[in-house]
Amino acid sequence: MQTTRNEKLQHLENLHNERHAKSTILLENIKSNLTQIQQLLALFSREEPDLVYRFYHQSFKVFIAVSLVEQSNKLFVQLAPNESPLNDWYCSIADKVLGREFNDETTNKNWLAETQPILEALWHSKYFLEQMSVAANELETAPQILPSGWAAVLYLYNLR
């Protein structure tokens, strides 16, 4: 049976409406958890200068960032509308560091390979926390025409 043009258009409209409904729920979840988001973002901002220094100093303390990524990842999952999965690319970045620990026998020998992913995950997590905070403060409702930061948050939840 061949799908008609009207059926295809209706299907696309339904998908759009479903994503917009989830976007609305996501924005509500972000707004209702804004204090937690801002507290975690403040922690990221306080720790970031020292963690980057620790990276260049080749200090095991750069692994403190793993805990920050774990906290943000847990919060992102908690905020998900209707248990929407997180973006595969973000998960790939975060999963490389979740649970990672300093190994005094291997880490220093492979410093860049083992620690660059930690900073990458830190910065991606911080970025999404920043954009969530901006969205909660600037958006009344989930918009149809998207500011870039909000569009990125929607990508985190596969809603774009």
Side-chain angles (χ1 to χ4, degrees):
M1 178 175 203
Q2 191 155 354
T3 306
T4 67
R5 183 175 188 277
N6 286 342
E7 289 172 328
K8 288 179 184 177
L9 289 174
Q10 184 61 51
H11 175 72
L12 290 175
E13 184 177 338
N14 290 344
L15 283 176
H16 171 76
N17 290 339
E18 180 182 323
R19 282 185 175 167
H20 188 69
K22 285 184 178 181
S23 299
T24 298
I25 293 168
L26 175 59
L27 184 58
E28 291 169 0
N29 291 350
I30 289 169
K31 285 178 177 269
S32 65
N33 289 278
L34 183 57
T35 300
Q36 186 179 2
I37 291 166
Q38 289 177 331
Q39 287 173 343
L40 187 53
L41 179 56
L43 183 57
F44 269 74
S45 296
R46 275 193 312 273
E47 294 293 334
E48 181 182 19
D50 187 60
L51 293 170
V52 173
Y53 158 70
R54 297 298 175 176
F55 168 80
Y56 284 101
H57 187 61
Q58 204 167 351
S59 167
F60 72 93
K61 291 182 181 179
V62 75
F63 281 79
I64 291 169
V66 172
S67 172
L68 295 174
V69 173
E70 289 171 344
Q71 290 176 62
S72 62
N73 195 62
K74 182 179 176 184
L75 178 59
F76 296 157
V77 169
Q78 175 189 325
L79 296 172
N82 304 330
E83 300 178 13
S84 294
L86 296 179
N87 180 278
D88 288 342
W89 290 353
Y90 170 79
C91 289
S92 175
I93 292 166
D95 288 350
K96 288 177 186 171
V97 303
L98 296 176
R100 184 173 278 192
E101 295 178 359
F102 178 81
N103 180 324
D104 59 359
E105 297 203 12
T106 62
T107 301
N108 284 334
K109 293 175 191 171
N110 301 302
W111 187 254
L112 289 178
E114 291 196 26
T115 59
Q116 274 182 317
I118 294 171
L119 291 181
E120 181 181 16
L122 174 85
W123 287 322
H124 281 264
S125 298
K126 182 182 178 204
Y127 171 80
F128 284 117
L129 290 168
E130 289 169 338
Q131 297 313 311
M132 288 177 181
S133 181
V134 168
N137 288 313
E138 293 181 1
L139 300 176
E140 292 297 318
T141 61
Q144 297 285 344
I145 298 174
L146 305 175
S148 296
W150 180 241
V153 171
L154 294 179
Y155 266 115
L156 178 63
Y157 292 93
N158 299 302
L159 297 174
R160 279 281 302 144

